[in-house]
Amino acid sequence: MHMLQLHFAHGLTQIREKGNGSWFMAHHNRNFEAVDTISHFSTMISLIKTRFSPSFLVRGIVSQIFKDKFEGSWIYWGDVPKDVKDEWFDEFNVLFKWLPKDEDNIIKSFNSKGSTSLKNALHKVRTGEGEHG
């Protein structure tokens, strides 16, 4: 079972896989009181130029997919095997839908986000950012 937790200024959003391809989303306010739930969802997304819309939700989930599934020692996005990238994109595709005409550009933007996320993560490791002492 998969679960993503996204922390926003206004609270927390949890997305959990319930099984059989079913997903559950719960929004919590700052006091962690449930304020909204959605079952069996996928969010329609689009691109504005090369950016996902709604960007805040897509950006957080894409980053979380990479963090949860990153099991290699790749230095560059180009080093990540295609089957691994496909697995990450398949998980993304469970949560988001788009118009067929946008498919190629969605894939390009997803890969661009992956490249940027990997570069940023490695920068944090090299500089010691995020280390707790």
Side-chain angles (χ1 to χ4, degrees):
M1 179 174 301
H2 298 89
M3 182 170 88
L4 304 172
Q5 291 196 85
L6 306 171
H7 297 269
F8 299 107
H10 62 275
L12 168 75
T13 297
Q14 290 182 326
I15 302 172
R16 293 190 304 270
E17 183 179 18
K18 293 169 58 176
N20 300 325
S22 172
W23 290 81
F24 173 82
M25 180 187 293
H27 301 283
H28 304 272
N29 63 20
R30 288 185 188 154
N31 297 323
F32 297 101
E33 300 163 328
V35 292
D36 190 19
T37 59
I38 304 169
S39 291
H40 305 286
F41 76 94
S42 59
T43 299
M44 191 71 167
I45 62 171
S46 62
L47 290 173
I48 298 175
K49 297 190 180 186
T50 60
R51 294 181 175 259
F52 290 112
S53 179
S55 64
F56 75 94
L57 182 59
V58 176
R59 192 172 51 243
I61 289 177
V62 169
S63 295
Q64 194 64 50
I65 289 170
F66 296 146
K67 287 177 188 173
D68 289 350
K69 302 290 182 180
F70 197 89
E71 298 172 354
S73 57
W74 309 294
I75 296 175
Y76 301 104
W77 184 251
D79 296 340
V80 179
K82 183 180 179 337
D83 62 317
V84 173
K85 291 178 191 175
D86 289 346
E87 180 183 336
W88 293 342
F89 187 78
D90 289 345
E91 188 158 339
F92 176 76
N93 197 14
V94 168
L95 297 171
F96 298 105
K97 301 297 177 214
W98 48 85
L99 296 175
K101 70 177 183 67
D102 293 334
E103 178 89 10
D104 290 342
N105 289 326
I106 294 285
I107 292 169
K108 285 178 189 172
S109 291
F110 179 85
N111 283 313
S112 176
K113 174 65 177 156
S115 177
T116 301
S117 292
L118 180 55
K119 183 172 37 173
N120 290 344
L122 291 173
H123 175 76
K124 286 180 181 179
V125 168
R126 283 193 298 271
T127 61
E129 280 183 49
E131 300 237 346
H132 303 288

